[in-house]
């Protein structure tokens, strides 16, 4: 059986959850997926960096409280994240980028992805910034280097929205998308409806791991704005910039308004949409809407998200599932690694991409 060596960039909730999946279910996953996984490097803004090309023992790292983890005293460890050196120089097969999302310029994640692709390494990321702001250029770079660039988790965490559109909709024309794409705001709107105050609902969403480190992006719609850009660019062939996508969040809604609407059979939802017109132009927006109960998106509650694809031959096809959460987003990375394996696993033509290694397990 082959094996992929991973460099984890960022060791917050998502990559930690991926490490947990590997640590707890590694053998079962290997058997089912047909490849093994090993972590050879980890970098993290707070913990520093850790490199062991024979494979890092994840158990003691996962036993430590996240806030207390430091790689400084460990063999192969440093207090300095050394991101560029780790990404470019450590012989990993796949760089797994899960640092924080920067909606303005995508950095530092954008550089992380670029360094990895330039170094001939496959990349998978849950980070919306690089995909929304520079997806086209990064895909071109990956194609030039003969490596994979996968980002399923950038929209709806592990729920396969992008891959469904890419792999299952051959021959269909997609004319528009509309969705509830932020678990935090959807959870909060539901809690407001139940009478919980905004600040308490935000704190709950953070505790549950749905919210971004800075929940402003969830509340003000910037998170959905990036996801709409990714969907529009990937699925509708657009090339939207942030300023092209009108964005209004839920902070102007009062708990009274939400409860009042509910009493009239309406549900406030933060809806992201993109439409392709006959002349080929695409417009996109993020805005709260009070949906009637019979609207297909009105029943999407809590952290659950949904994207409705409007198509020519099938009408509307809706994909629904978790849109946030540590394990759910880590699953997106696993599905990305699987996609890389399917596309490149026995591809010897890639110029610098390391070939899947033989691994021996007793
Ligand atoms: N904070 C996001 C959400 C998760 O609540 O949906 C990842 O985009």
């Amino acid at each position: 059986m082959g094996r992929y060596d991973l460099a984890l960039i960022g060791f917050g909730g998502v990559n930690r959850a991926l490490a947990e999946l590997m640590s707890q279910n590694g053998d079962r996953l290997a058997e089912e997926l047909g490849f093994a996984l090993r972590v050879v490097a980890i970098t993290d803004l707070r913990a520093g960096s850790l490199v062991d090309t024979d494979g890092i023992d994840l158990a003691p790292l996962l036993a430590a409280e996240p806030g207390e983890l430091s790689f400084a005293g460990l063999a192969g460890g440093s207090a300095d994240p050394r991101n560029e050196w780790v990404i470019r120089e450590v012989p990993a097969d796949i760089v797994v980028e899960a640092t924080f999302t920067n909606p303005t310029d995508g950095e530092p994640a954008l550089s992380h992805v670029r360094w990895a692709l330039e170094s001939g390494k496959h990349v998978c990321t849950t980070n919306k910034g690089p995909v929304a702001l520079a997806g086209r250029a990064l895909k071109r770079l990956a194609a030039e280097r003969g490596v994979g660039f996968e980002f399923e988790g950038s929209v709806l965490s592990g729920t396969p929205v992008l891959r469904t559109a890419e792999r299952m909709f051959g021959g269909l024309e997609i004319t528009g998308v509309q969705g509830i794409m932020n678990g935090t705001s959807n959870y909060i709107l539901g809690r407001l409806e139940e009478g919980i105050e905004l600040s308490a609902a935000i704190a709950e969403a953070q505790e549950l791991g749905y919210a971004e480190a800075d929940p402003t992006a969830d509340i003000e719609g910037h998170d959905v704005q990036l996801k709409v850009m990714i969907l529009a660019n990937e699925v509708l062939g657009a090339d939207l910039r942030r300023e092209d996508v009108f964005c209004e969040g839920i902070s102007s809604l009062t708990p009274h308004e939400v409860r009042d609407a509910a009493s009239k059979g309406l549900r406030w939802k933060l809806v992201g949409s993109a439409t392709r017109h006959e002349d080929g132009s695409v417009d996109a927006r993020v805005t709260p809407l009070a949906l009637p109960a019979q609207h297909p998106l009105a029943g999407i509650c809590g952290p659950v998200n949904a994207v409705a694809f409007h198509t020519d031959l099938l009408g509307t096809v809706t994909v629904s599932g978790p849109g946030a959460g540590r394990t759910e987003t880590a699953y997106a990375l696993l599905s990305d690694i699987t996609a890389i394996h399917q596309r490149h696993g026995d591809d010897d033509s890639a110029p610098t991409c390391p070939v899947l290694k033989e691994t021996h397990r007793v």
Side-chain angles (χ1 to χ4, degrees):
M1 178 183 294
R3 182 191 71 222
Y4 293 102
D5 285 349
L6 310 182
L8 307 185
I9 309 305
F11 203 55
V14 173
N15 265 345
R16 209 178 149 94
L18 178 66
E20 281 165 9
L21 280 179
M22 290 168 59
S23 188
Q24 290 160 10
N25 302 325
D27 288 348
R28 181 182 66 76
L29 290 173
E31 197 148 316
E32 192 174 323
L33 299 175
F35 56 84
L37 295 173
R38 187 171 77 160
V39 176
V40 293
I42 304 176
T43 74
D44 184 73
L45 197 59
R46 272 183 263 177
S49 57
L50 183 62
V51 176
D52 183 346
T53 53
D54 290 329
I56 293 171
D57 182 8
L58 297 170
L61 307 184
L62 295 173
E65 283 299 315
E68 287 164 13
L69 191 63
S70 169
F71 299 144
L74 307 178
S78 162
D80 180 355
R82 301 185 294 175
N83 283 312
E84 184 166 6
W85 177 80
V86 167
I87 291 169
R88 288 193 190 275
E89 304 301 333
V90 173
D93 304 301
I94 303 177
V95 170
V96 183
E97 214 289 344
T99 64
F100 71 95
T101 289
N102 170 346
T104 309
D105 63 8
E107 293 292 1
L110 177 53
S111 291
H112 298 160
V113 173
R114 198 177 281 132
W115 294 333
L117 296 175
E118 283 169 0
S119 310
K121 289 166 181 152
H122 304 294
V123 174
C124 52
T125 185
T126 57
N127 203 314
K128 296 169 284 287
V131 185
L133 303 177
R136 198 173 270 220
L138 294 170
K139 280 166 71 173
R140 198 165 44 235
L141 179 59
E144 279 164 18
R145 302 300 163 114
V147 293
F149 174 45
E150 300 289 335
F151 42 84
E152 181 64 62
S154 63
V155 180
L156 260 63
S157 70
T159 303
V161 171
L162 296 174
R163 212 157 273 129
T164 298
E166 182 198 11
R167 295 192 179 180
M168 309 306 287
F169 289 173
L172 286 183
E173 190 185 337
I174 303 172
T175 53
V177 291
Q178 189 183 31
I180 292 174
M181 294 185 262
N182 182 269
T184 302
S185 57
N186 206 45
Y187 176 85
I188 288 171
L189 288 171
R191 296 296 277 155
L192 295 183
E193 217 176 273
E194 288 163 13
I196 306 292
E197 289 302 320
L198 182 67
S199 55
I202 293 174
E204 284 179 7
Q206 284 179 306
E207 181 70 21
L208 290 162
Y210 307 145
E212 300 291 306
D214 173 2
T216 314
D218 296 305
I219 309 300
E220 299 300 345
H222 305 143
D223 174 73
V224 180
Q225 187 184 37
L226 295 180
K227 290 169 179 166
V228 167
M229 287 168 67
I230 296 170
L231 271 176
N233 295 348
E234 286 299 309
V235 175
L236 301 178
D239 190 14
L240 298 180
R241 292 159 304 164
R242 247 187 117 196
E243 54 270 31
D244 298 327
V245 183
F246 173 83
C247 181
E248 184 189 345
I250 61 168
S251 61
S252 59
L253 291 174
T254 64
H256 172 73
E257 245 177 316
V258 175
R259 287 196 290 270
D260 187 49
S263 73
K264 295 173 180 147
L266 296 171
R267 279 221 156 116
W268 278 101
K269 296 288 176 190
L270 185 59
V271 177
S273 57
T275 308
R276 184 165 54 210
H277 302 289
E278 279 185 7
D279 65 0
S281 64
V282 173
D283 61 43
R285 54 176 38 234
V286 180
T287 186
L289 295 175
L291 302 177
Q294 64 274 21
H295 189 288
L297 296 179
I300 303 298
C301 294
V304 177
N305 285 188
V307 172
F309 295 93
H310 304 300
T311 75
D312 58 345
L313 302 181
L314 287 181
T316 299
V317 178
T318 304
V319 178
S320 169
R326 297 168 64 246
T327 306
E328 294 83 347
T329 311
Y331 174 73
L333 293 169
L334 195 59
S335 76
D336 284 346
I337 294 168
T338 305
I340 288 169
H341 175 68
Q342 289 164 349
R343 288 198 175 122
H344 300 266
D346 51 7
D347 178 7
D348 291 341
S349 62
T352 48
C353 161
V355 174
L356 192 62
K357 299 174 201 54
E358 280 300 305
T359 184
H360 304 282
R361 284 195 283 134
V362 280

